[in-house]
Amino acid sequence: MKPIYLYTLLTIGILGACLWSCSKEEVLEEPYGTGKVPLGIEVNQNQAPSPASGLPGTEVTINAYGLLPFREELIFRFNGEQAEIVDVTDSQIKVVVPDYASTGVTIISIGDVVVFGPQFSVTGKISIDPTFNVTRGTNGGVEQVIHTNDGRMLIVGAFTDYDNKGVIRPINRIARAFSDGTYDASLRSGRGANGTIGHIIPFNNGYLIGGAFNGYAQRGADISNLTHLNGNGTIDTMGVRPFRRPDQLDTIKYYPTFNGGFDQWVDHLYPQDDKVIVNGNFRYYISRQYDKPNKLETRDSVIMDSVEMRQFARLLADGTLDRSYRFDTATGRSWEGGNGEARAMLITGGPNEGKLMVYGTFTRFDGQQKGYILRLNADGTIDDTFNPSGTGADQPIHRLFYNPTTQKYMICGNFRNYNGQPANRLAMLNEDGSLDGSFVAKELDGGGPNFIKQLSDGKIIVSGDFRTYAGITRNGFMVLDEQGDLIPGYNATGTFSGGIEDIIETTAADDKRALLIYGIFWQFNSEEANNLIRVIIE
């Protein structure tokens, strides 16, 4: 009661003071006086520099008054990077854009006095693709984008709106778009999913979707985080003749054709011949029987069966559990799996094609000590040829991607060592899992990385909540070479805020090289960006 009592006294006091002053009609003066410009310096933040954008090396003029007396003390920065000052007059300052400048605010400092200047756009080799017609993005995270054989895209995630087309009728967690991002309203997804769709793959003449949902379109039950869609986006259902007593009329009820699911989040789906490998944060596989009566045999019922399957499972085309994959028939339960989160990535090329990389927060997997990373054979057993004599990372791994062109793995996380060797939260691994010492991560400040991927040409994209890399301002997004150094010209973008789920190499409408970037983010290059963008990369 004490906080309420104090708040009441304060309120009464303030009201009393107000009533008293109002009755006296007294005009109160500002106790601290009006604000003054620091050191008499005046800079109009709304007046664009000349020019307003340019490459490193460009001479830029900014109107500023009162700088001349402090000429010898001035420090000028472009988004944190110090610039060469060419000239200072009574009304202007001329500076040169430094090599690793990036888009953002300009700053003038004199001792401990800081004066903010106007925004300057540094021209680089990465820019927003003007031919991508998704100006509003999505109102929730994008978990995955796939390109279909007809040249369109399927987008899934946690959103209920795509490019402002779901304002009246929500677009629940799945959308289809043309290659330029324009919304395609022909997908017959109905009410969509009632929870996040985390992954989608082409499967069995349609699509398999997994995530955290128990309903899709008209089916509000009998789904456990996994179901099959027809090619047009409708849910794939089957007619079942349920139990009926002799005195009851025969009937048909419709249920999902794919009769399989899991008790918790389904993270990734990977096709394997006519089967599918499922990875997620689950513990039990779930299936249903639709043609059985209740105990009193008065009506039909849905009987739910469950089998313990930890983190990994393989299912047949109809959803039936494949008990030949990571399953102990003697105990009737799955193998142990990891003692922490275990995420997976399918290797799609190179000598280990078809195997699964596993990474996360575990230190033990199937009873063996593992340093947050391992590789599984196609049959689900641990691949002992991966890093056979190494200890792995010393802290959790957040993301892992394999590049079949370079045959390298890129990992990022909280680790500082890999196989006992220094690896500062970023590392490149060889095909056998050993550390590639030619890649040396520099010091990150202000936060860590949560995404890393190597492109087909060797460039490495990293994002996270860091603010500098090797002492150079990189607000959450950077492009490195294969030695771990920032690449000139590719690091001019301004602030990035959020997290990237994946990057797809593609082309723009004018056939320029482009990257489709998606995840949960709200700012790219210091501008608003809602979870899905396409950028041109030279």
Side-chain angles (χ1 to χ4, degrees):
M1 294 297 293
K2 184 180 287 186
I4 297 176
Y5 175 72
L6 290 174
Y7 176 80
T8 303
L9 288 178
L10 286 170
T11 303
I12 292 171
I14 292 169
L15 287 173
C18 179
L19 290 171
W20 181 83
S21 63
C22 290
S23 64
K24 299 284 288 184
E25 295 184 356
E26 182 177 347
V27 178
L28 300 178
E29 295 182 358
E30 168 59 51
Y32 301 107
T34 58
K36 296 182 180 180
V37 178
L39 306 179
I41 298 169
E42 296 181 22
V43 180
N44 186 351
Q45 291 180 257
N46 298 317
Q47 186 175 16
S50 179
S53 63
L55 292 164
T58 301
E59 187 174 281
V60 179
T61 301
I62 294 174
N63 291 335
Y65 300 89
L67 294 179
L68 194 56
F70 311 99
R71 178 171 184 159
E72 301 303 320
E73 306 171 60
L74 288 176
I75 296 176
F76 191 97
R77 290 184 173 89
F78 287 87
N79 198 23
E81 289 305 301
Q82 187 169 340
E84 176 192 352
I85 299 174
V86 177
D87 190 26
V88 178
T89 68
D90 287 335
S91 59
Q92 292 180 337
I93 181 172
K94 291 184 179 180
V95 292
V96 176
V97 181
D99 288 342
Y100 284 99
S102 54
T103 296
V105 70
T106 56
I107 296 175
I108 301 170
S109 59
I110 303 165
D112 58 357
V113 176
V114 175
V115 181
F116 290 94
Q119 181 99 355
F120 184 83
S121 179
V122 181
T123 306
K125 297 185 177 181
I126 295 179
S127 58
I128 294 290
D129 178 8
T131 70
F132 192 59
N133 297 321
V134 189
T135 56
R136 299 297 301 168
T138 63
N139 66 342
V142 174
E143 295 287 339
Q144 192 189 12
V145 178
I146 62 171
H147 289 86
T148 56
N149 293 332
D150 57 7
R152 291 180 284 188
M153 299 185 297
L154 281 169
I155 303 105
V156 298
F159 54 85
T160 58
D161 189 14
Y162 177 88
D163 202 28
N164 215 30
K165 301 299 189 297
V167 174
I168 297 175
R169 181 184 177 187
I171 301 170
N172 290 320
R173 290 96 189 184
I174 183 169
R176 185 160 64 188
F178 297 100
S179 59
D180 66 351
T182 303
Y183 178 62
D184 178 4
S186 68
L187 188 70
R188 296 175 58 190
S189 55
R191 293 193 296 268
N194 63 358
T196 300
I197 300 177
H199 213 241
I200 181 171
I201 59 169
F203 189 74
N204 200 18
N205 297 318
Y207 301 97
L208 199 62
I209 58 172
F213 56 91
N214 57 23
Y216 182 91
Q218 78 275 20
R219 297 302 314 170
D222 307 316
I223 296 174
S224 298
N225 305 312
L226 182 66
T227 198
H228 186 260
L229 308 181
N230 297 310
N232 61 1
T234 59
I235 188 169
D236 181 9
T237 58
M238 60 181 177
V240 175
R241 293 184 181 276
F243 167 80
R244 284 292 185 270
R245 297 192 314 269
D247 61 329
Q248 292 178 317
L249 294 175
D250 196 11
T251 188
I252 295 178
K253 289 187 176 181
Y254 289 88
Y255 298 96
T257 301
F258 193 85
N259 187 7
F262 297 89
D263 65 317
Q264 294 186 58
W265 170 259
V266 171
D267 191 36
H268 277 85
L269 306 167
Y270 296 114
Q272 188 182 69
D273 299 324
D274 58 347
K275 303 176 184 179
V276 60
I277 294 176
V278 186
N279 163 240
N281 189 36
F282 49 78
R283 183 169 180 176
Y284 291 96
Y285 163 80
I286 294 172
S287 62
R288 294 171 172 83
Q289 299 180 52
Y290 302 113
D291 57 351
K292 304 295 182 182
N294 61 8
K295 290 183 178 180
L296 301 177
E297 296 191 355
T298 58
R299 59 180 175 81
D300 63 292
S301 63
V302 176
I303 299 175
M304 186 179 296
D305 294 327
S306 64
V307 178
E308 186 171 7
M309 286 299 301
R310 296 183 180 222
Q311 300 172 326
F312 293 89
R314 186 167 65 191
L315 307 183
L316 305 180
D318 63 355
T320 303
L321 180 65
D322 181 355
R323 296 172 187 256
S324 67
Y325 183 85
R326 296 189 54 78
F327 189 80
D328 187 344
T329 55
T331 61
R333 59 197 301 180
S334 73
W335 297 351
E336 182 181 337
N339 64 340
E341 181 189 40
R343 301 193 70 187
M345 189 218 66
L346 181 70
I347 301 174
T348 56
N352 291 287
E353 184 174 1
K355 296 182 180 181
L356 280 180
M357 288 303 305
V358 182
Y359 64 97
T361 63
F362 57 87
T363 56
R364 190 179 70 252
F365 194 92
D366 287 349
Q368 298 184 33
Q369 293 298 315
K370 294 292 178 182
Y372 307 98
I373 187 172
L374 57 95
R375 189 165 62 202
L376 293 181
N377 294 308
D379 63 359
T381 58
I382 293 178
D383 181 0
D384 292 327
T385 67
F386 182 84
N387 201 27
S389 59
T391 56
D394 62 346
Q395 291 292 329
I397 296 173
H398 297 326
R399 295 305 297 270
L400 178 152
F401 279 99
Y402 174 73
N403 187 320
T405 303
T406 62
Q407 297 187 4
K408 301 289 184 180
Y409 301 98
M410 299 303 308
I411 60 173
C412 71
N414 295 338
F415 55 85
R416 298 303 179 109
N417 295 278
Y418 185 90
N419 286 352
Q421 302 175 56
N424 186 25
R425 294 190 279 190
L426 306 170
M428 177 185 288
L429 308 182
N430 297 310
E431 186 77 45
D432 63 359
S434 61
L435 184 68
D436 185 339
S438 66
F439 177 90
V440 179
K442 311 306 184 292
E443 189 63 31
L444 288 156
D445 186 46
N450 52 41
F451 177 86
I452 186 169
K453 187 171 187 177
Q454 186 178 40
L455 304 180
S456 57
D457 63 357
K459 293 182 180 66
I460 300 163
I461 294 182
V462 182
S463 73
D465 55 4
F466 50 86
R467 289 293 168 260
T468 68
Y469 180 78
I472 296 172
T473 301
R474 289 310 308 139
N475 287 308
F477 184 91
M478 60 184 176
V479 183
L480 308 179
D481 62 19
E482 293 174 278
Q483 287 72 49
D485 297 317
L486 292 168
I487 306 178
Y490 290 91
N491 287 284
T493 54
T495 300
F496 174 84
S497 300
I500 295 175
E501 184 61 32
D502 201 358
I503 295 176
I504 299 175
E505 297 186 62
T506 183
T507 56
D510 53 5
D511 290 329
K512 290 182 179 178
R513 186 186 180 206
L515 303 175
L516 185 68
I517 304 175
Y518 60 86
I520 306 175
F521 52 85
W522 51 94
Q523 193 176 31
F524 182 85
N525 197 24
S526 300
E527 298 181 5
E528 181 182 356
N530 296 312
N531 310 308
L532 178 67
I533 58 173
R534 194 166 69 190
V535 301
I536 302 296
I537 179 168
E538 298 179 18

